[in-house]
């Protein structure tokens, strides 16, 4: 079966359609897991400073690169401008250089503005909060000014591509109206229960590749919510009867069906697993094809249900650029 395993980006570069997600894995877990992911064959790794594991990932990458087991050109590494940097164009290069130092790399393949909203941090870099615990936002965010700095990073060779994450059509369009370098990628929550057809159609027409995060429903969000005192029932995507039936039909797992449905739409996907068996399983999605009827059946499950609504960051919804 001929299969597209890369997405062609609008700057002429290619991004592996399947990547390895690293959100909600401790430094200890991720040290073992990234090494396993590379062994299993993942070459696209997605991280961010707010995941607090770039240093551990950097140590693994450095070992693999210096041993000659892998070449830098074979890897596609994405990281992100954290929300505390997003109000300060003067901090953009500083933030990427810090990520590069932690990742022990000279450049990343893709640098994304992590969120369209911005928070204030204290001297230790921790989110500042009001007495009631809500996060203090910085409303002065200027995406156009930020994007100019992002473009400067490409000119300096610190990143090959630039993009955005969690942005709306209106916010992306504002950047596109004034930019010299078009955003190459939009990274968003995307799965059977949150399909955002207008946003996806817009990206298609604007030639912006889409990466799906939380494709399996990010179960760990439940504990983040609990820690923040947020009571919220979250769905289990692996237990949806339609997904189960299709999985049985193809002799594949529910996770494989959820991931296959995404890549078959030409959308990149970055499932996270710290378990080697499940990592292998998540990668093994290119030897079967969902029928048009099965795709349609899964399309019909859209419920506009957002799992990562940032309710665990109480207060950010007050930011004027809060996207949801
Ligand atoms: P684990 O790391 O123990 O494998 P998402 O990518 O949507 O954020 O989902 C990640 C969650 O899904 C993690 O809890 C991860 O647990 C779990 N997971 C990853 N791959 C699979 C799989 N193939 N089957 C079941 N659960 C999975």
């Amino acid at each position: 079966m001929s299969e597209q395993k890369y997405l062609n980006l609008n700057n002429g570069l290619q991004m592996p359609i399947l990547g390895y997600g690293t959100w909600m894995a401790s430094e200890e877990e991720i040290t073992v897991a990234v090494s396993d992911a590379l062994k299993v064959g993942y070459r696209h790794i997605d991280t961010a400073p707010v995941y607090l594991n770039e240093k551990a990932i950097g140590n693994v990458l450095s070992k693999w690169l210096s041993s000659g087991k892998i070449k830098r050109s074979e890897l596609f590494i994405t990281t992100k401008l954290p929300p505390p940097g997003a109000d300060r164009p003067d901090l953009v290069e500083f933030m990427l250089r810090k990520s590069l130092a932690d990742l022990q790399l000279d450049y990343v393949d893709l640098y994304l503005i992590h969120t369209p909203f911005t928070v204030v941090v204290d001297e230790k870099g921790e989110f500042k909060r009001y007495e009631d615990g809500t996060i203090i936002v910085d409303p002065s965010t200027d995406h156009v000014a930020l994007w100019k700095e992002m473009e400067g990073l490409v000119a300096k060779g610190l990143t090959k591509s630039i993009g955005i994450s969690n942005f709306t059509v209106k916010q992306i369009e504002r950047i596109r109206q004034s930019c010299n370098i078009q955003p190459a990628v939009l990274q968003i929550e995307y799965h059977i229960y949150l399909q955002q057809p207008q946003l996806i159609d817009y990206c298609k027409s604007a030639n912006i590749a889409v990466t799906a995060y939380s494709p399996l429903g990010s179960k760990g969000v439940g504990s983040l919510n609990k820690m923040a005192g947020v009571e919220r029932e979250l769905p289990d995507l692996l237990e949806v009867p339609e997904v189960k039936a299709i999985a049985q039909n193809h002799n594949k797992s529910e996770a494989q069906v959820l991931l296959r449905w995404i890549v078959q739409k030409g959308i990149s996907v970055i499932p996270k697993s710290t378990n080697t068996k499940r990592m292998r399983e998540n990668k093994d999605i290119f030897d079967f094809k969902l029928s048009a009827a099965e795709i349609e059946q899964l399309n019909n499950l859209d419920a506009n249900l957002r799992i990562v609504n940032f309710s665990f960051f109480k207060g950010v919804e007050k930011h004027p650029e809060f996207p949801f």
Side-chain angles (χ1 to χ4, degrees):
M1 187 190 303
S2 93
E3 185 57 70
Q4 188 200 7
K5 290 200 180 188
Y6 288 88
L7 290 184
N8 295 315
L9 303 182
N10 61 18
N11 57 7
L13 299 174
Q14 288 193 315
M15 175 170 75
I17 196 162
L18 177 71
Y20 178 70
T22 64
W23 186 35
M24 286 191 278
S26 67
E27 290 212 294
E28 211 174 3
E29 282 177 315
I30 211 68
T31 300
V32 179
V34 168
S35 199
D36 284 352
L38 290 170
K39 273 185 216 148
V40 166
Y42 287 87
R43 292 295 177 262
H44 169 180
I45 295 172
D46 181 273
T47 183
V50 294
Y51 304 166
L52 302 175
N53 55 24
E54 281 181 312
K55 270 193 187 158
I57 294 174
N59 285 336
V60 177
L61 293 179
S62 163
K63 274 194 199 126
W64 276 69
L65 289 165
S66 60
S67 73
K69 277 196 277 192
I70 203 165
K71 287 199 218 81
R72 175 65 186 89
S73 58
E74 294 172 70
L75 292 171
F76 190 100
I77 309 292
T78 302
T79 194
K80 310 183 189 91
L81 177 71
D87 62 327
R88 294 273 308 271
D90 59 307
L91 282 185
V92 172
E93 183 174 337
F94 171 83
M95 293 285 189
L96 176 52
R97 285 195 185 274
K98 167 136 190 12
S99 285
L100 289 173
D102 286 348
L103 290 165
Q104 303 185 45
L105 297 174
D106 300 326
Y107 68 90
V108 288
D109 297 274
L110 177 62
Y111 198 50
L112 303 173
I113 302 178
H114 203 153
T115 61
F117 57 82
T118 315
V119 301
V120 182
V121 286
D122 62 19
E123 318 71 52
K124 287 197 221 132
E126 279 163 23
F127 291 10
K128 263 194 174 167
R129 292 171 190 268
Y130 294 107
E131 264 175 25
D132 67 357
T134 54
I135 290 170
I136 303 178
V137 297
D138 179 345
S140 70
T141 313
D142 177 348
H143 294 157
V144 170
L146 267 188
W147 194 256
K148 287 222 170 348
E149 295 300 317
M150 295 286 284
E151 291 176 336
L153 304 176
V154 179
K156 287 186 176 154
L158 301 175
T159 182
K160 300 267 186 205
S161 308
I162 48 178
I164 58 273
S165 182
N166 299 304
F167 274 53
T168 63
V169 169
K170 194 171 148 213
Q171 290 166 335
I172 302 170
E173 196 49 31
R174 199 194 297 140
I175 287 175
R176 287 184 71 236
Q177 291 303 325
S178 67
C179 68
N180 292 316
I181 302 177
Q182 293 283 325
V185 174
L186 169 69
Q187 187 177 123
I188 48 167
E189 177 177 339
Y190 185 87
H191 45 71
I192 47 169
Y193 282 164
L194 184 68
Q195 301 186 25
Q196 315 188 66
Q198 286 92 356
L199 186 53
I200 300 293
D201 285 351
Y202 168 79
C203 286
K204 234 174 239 157
S205 69
N207 198 13
I208 297 172
V210 176
T211 296
Y213 74 70
S214 301
L216 304 174
S218 283
K219 283 191 195 128
V221 170
S223 42
L224 288 183
N225 282 343
K226 240 182 227 145
M227 276 194 290
V230 176
E231 291 278 339
R232 192 167 173 238
E233 194 76 39
L234 293 176
D236 188 343
L237 305 189
L238 302 168
E239 290 297 327
V240 174
E242 289 85 346
V243 176
K244 283 184 140 348
I246 295 171
Q248 216 165 27
N249 208 15
H250 289 274
N251 207 13
K252 285 281 182 181
S253 73
E254 288 76 13
Q256 287 171 322
V257 168
L258 291 170
L259 298 173
R260 176 71 209 184
W261 171 76
I262 295 176
V263 297
Q264 217 169 298
K265 285 167 181 274
I267 293 176
S268 165
V269 70
I270 46 170
K272 170 259 172 189
S273 179
T274 45
N275 173 289
T276 316
K277 185 180 154 280
R278 290 193 283 276
M279 271 179 214
R280 275 187 207 284
E281 185 182 313
N282 297 344
K283 205 173 161 289
D284 185 19
I285 54 169
F286 296 102
D287 63 349
F288 76 114
K289 199 168 182 175
L290 302 176
S291 69
E294 288 168 332
I295 295 269
E296 187 63 22
Q297 211 185 348
L298 297 177
N299 289 352
N300 289 337
L301 296 174
D302 191 11
N304 198 24
L305 193 161
R306 190 178 295 281
I307 293 170
V308 187
N309 64 0
F310 294 108
S311 53
F312 45 81
F313 284 161
K314 230 182 204 161
V316 295
E317 71 285 353
K318 298 210 179 84
H319 193 281
E321 297 287 353
F322 188 73
F324 312 139

